[in-house]
Amino acid sequence: AARMFLRLLSDVRWRVANPKWRRMTCSPRSTSSTAEPHPVSLPAQTQVVICGGGIMGTSVAYHLSKMGWKDIVLLEQGRLAAGTTRFCAGIVSTARHVSIELKMADYSNKLYQQLEQETGVKTGYMKTGSISLAQTQDRLISLKRIASSLNVMGIPCEIITPKQVAQLHPLINIHDLVGAMYVPEDALVSSANVSLALATAASRNGVQIHERTSVSHVSVQKGRVTGVETDRGQIQCQYFVNCAGQWAYELGHSGEEPVNIPLHACEHFYLLTHPLKEPLASNLPTIVDPDGRIYIRNWQGGILSGGFEKNPKPLFTEGRNQLEIQNLQEDWDHFEPLLSALLRRMPDLEALQIMQLVNCPESFTPDMRCIMGESPTVRGYFVLAGMNSAGISYGGGAGKYLAEWMVNGYPSENVWPLDLKRFGTLQSSRTFLRHRVMEVMPLMCDLKVPRWDFQTGRQLRTSPLYDRLDAQGARWMEKHGFERVKYFVPPGKDLLDLDQSKTFYKPDWFDIVGSEVKCCKEAVCVIDMSSFTKFEISSTGDQALESLQYLFSNDLDVPVGHVVHTGMLNEKGGYENDCSIARLSKRSFFMISPTDQQVHCWAWLKNRLPDDSNLTMEDVTWKYTALNLIGPRAVDVLSELSYAPITPEHFPSLFCKEMSVGYANGIRVMSITHTGEPGFMLYIPIEYALHVYNEVMNMGQKYGIRNAGYYALRSLRIEKFFAFWGQDLDAFTTPMECGREFQVKLEKGMEFVGQEALLEQKQDGVYKRFTMFILEDHDTDADLWPWWGEPIFRNGRYVGKTTSSAYSYTLERHVCLGFVQHFDEKTGEALVVTTDFINQGEYEIDIAGQRFQAKAKLYPFSSLFTHRRRKDEVELSGYQRE
């Protein structure tokens, strides 16, 4: 067994000129921290301390040193690459659903390809290609969607037939396949050797590496990292990077200021065999069979095959496992379904001699995406962990982006889908994590159709109206732990059928959402939007106004009672947040942001607002229930309930007033709906929520009131060309690029964050433009639907991707929103995108490899649809604000 593990590690012995390292020991199970004397004492201070000597820690060290930071210490509690990295299957795969993960994997592949030449350390890099198999048509559609993304990124990829699979890998049983995806540049590596190669390069660049050194806790003063305590003494530092893998959670909680890193380990099994009689060729493609839940790769003439079973086994829930990772106990009964799937896929293996069943811990996160970024509570505390069994694929790219984040203050790509701040404290419950990873691990292979939802860890954050809405047929989804209504199932509908419908085509809820949209346009609907993030910022003097004027791009010095739609921009002019701010009084502001901004926005403001006891910011998300009253009859319902004039003269657009509704006082009513339709947002103190809801529903009966959900809201906002943060807007999107120049105070002579970047864009032009596309030759009933992330083609050339889409029940067509770029045909250089460039192109949207013609618009269609018009009578009109 020991010999087998050494093969998995490498033949390389760790030799460098610096005497602080010794040769790697022969026994991989030696865990005593006092086995040998430490050759070099720890420095008293350094700029960066990295905890963890696996693929993540060494990648961060490598990239930081490449970017010019040399004063770095990497600490490893055991030996380099002796954790999860040592057991990694070594498959480098770029076939990813999430764009940023795809980019990380592509960069990793390119980095590993040249690493051996750069460092002289053999990495075992072998370009074998990979084949992802499809046993069903839906799986093939999923692969086609990935293939579309890979191809426009310049990564060779093709959809192939079962016969072509057999030609590429003769041992594969193809009788149940409908197709496959072949990615010829995917590769295999020795994960431990890659880690050692990165460490070698980092060491040559000045990084100090100390093995057998455990970090006990991180010191924090005034919200900043100041140093670390180890079992060999203290080190003062400015930055700390937690790359501790499965130990990252406990390490985060061991500091003076806890840092929540929501991940949990599960047992992960794979099989190693002796070589076949005719050893497998080393360049044979890796097989990924998601419907069989397994992967298969060549390993020294035999095979290595593992998978993601339906009933995973979480481990280490009770706390920290102090030792280096061992090969955990074999469990053949548990592995049996995966073994059966392997033998069905490769029947010739039945006579093969098995060497060992390896069982090692792998860390998984609550949403199947890795965790990176700076802690929202401790400045200078960075995290890179939770790789969901894709550590070697992401290692190079993740280390690069985190290093950029530390050196430049931001990474070179939008990494929000991976940002630690997408989670709140609620996702750090040990019970929640244990239950969620038991769902996540099987989901690694499950078919993920649009709009699927996690089933574990639900009903955690709920509106006071949850039970009332649930009893009326609400179907729920979850955002940032908060339950939100998708739509309401009318009485008599088959609930089970709706809940189980999963498709890339027209969904079963199509008519239900259509009727909710119709009601929003013709009568009045109520949508519970309590999940929105809500902050109150106030001061004793002008501090609140002065601070917010600098941190937000629109002018907030408006009369009391007015609502301002504004961006919270970074230095590059990109949206860190997109929000509405109501001026409650001369010195008090009420800020409404997207649900998943709760942690990110709080940290951003807290780090930038002056440290002034006269200036206060409070998170009041939980204090208010928010009801969105949408539709032309909303004004009638509200006026009857409040006995106050609600006409446009008394209550103009973007206005905020405290009112009584029914018996309840202190309701903040705003003339805004986030959809472009007429109506009001009611922010109700939580104890009055049920009363106000009941009053609204009772009074609204004569006006045809009904409940509605977020799917209706999505359709309404997309047909009005409203961009949402986190879907359409991100830290790399500016107001100039999405037609929001009118929401920026450039002409008012006031300084604000991002101003210089926006002035430059105004002068030079923009390099991407937010555009609306109406699909023209698309059959809603028969064709695949667009959801998001579909490539956009202009005159046959790739120019961007969609960011969101929905069926417009008004236009009776699909509407996609996305960004269009302009690249020089010869050089590939980015060029300015002009209005003429947008208007003069012929556009197509690629949905799983099939292209559909689309008409591009820079302005939305009129919101004045009071009845359904024939498609060819629809005309363009001016921009309609909320």
Side-chain angles (χ1 to χ4, degrees), residues 734-763:
T734 74
M736 303 300 190
E737 294 164 350
C738 58
R740 292 188 174 188
E741 189 174 339
F742 65 91
Q743 292 180 359
V744 180
K745 54 194 173 196
L746 280 178
E747 311 301 330
K748 298 202 173 182
M750 284 180 276
E751 190 180 349
F752 62 91
V753 177
Q755 183 178 26
E756 286 184 23
L758 297 190
L759 287 169
E760 193 175 310
Q761 276 195 333
K762 186 175 182 183
Q763 182 177 328

Side-chain angles (χ1 to χ4, degrees), residues 558-593:
V558 293
V560 171
H562 283 250
V563 181
V564 177
H565 194 75
T566 180
M568 181 176 82
L569 309 182
N570 54 38
E571 285 73 13
K572 306 187 300 300
Y575 280 97
E576 291 294 336
N577 186 10
D578 179 43
C579 54
S580 300
I581 298 181
R583 191 168 194 182
L584 302 179
S585 70
K586 286 282 188 186
R587 296 166 181 171
S588 178
F589 297 85
F590 185 53
M591 176 180 172
I592 303 110
S593 305

Side-chain angles (χ1 to χ4, degrees), residues 34 88 107 135 178 188 271 276 517 585 738 809 828:
T34 57
C88 180
Y107 173 84
Q135 295 181 30
V178 297
L188 296 176
L271 188 72
L276 279 72
V517 167
S585 70
C738 58
Y809 294 88

Side-chain angles (χ1 to χ4, degrees), residues 172 285-287 294-298 303-305 342 345-346:
I172 294 297
T286 296
I287 298 294
I294 57 170
Y295 56 82
I296 310 162
R297 58 154 287 192
N298 166 63
I303 66 157
L304 180 158
S305 179
L342 170 63
R345 187 58 57 212
M346 296 180 73

Side-chain angles (χ1 to χ4, degrees), residues 420-436:
L420 171 62
K421 292 184 280 293
R422 72 188 187 272
F423 295 119
T425 53
L426 56 95
Q427 281 102 347
S428 285
S429 149
R430 266 311 209 190
T431 306
F432 167 83
L433 287 171
R434 182 181 177 87
H435 290 172
R436 176 56 66 86

Side-chain angles (χ1 to χ4, degrees), residues 177-199:
L177 301 183
V178 297
M181 179 178 68
Y182 177 45
V183 186
E185 293 195 354
D186 279 357
L188 296 176
V189 294
S190 161
S191 307
N193 289 3
V194 168
S195 191
L196 297 178
L198 291 168

Side-chain angles (χ1 to χ4, degrees), residues 275-286:
L276 279 72
K277 287 181 181 176
E278 289 186 21
L280 291 180
S282 59
N283 62 349
L284 209 59
T286 296

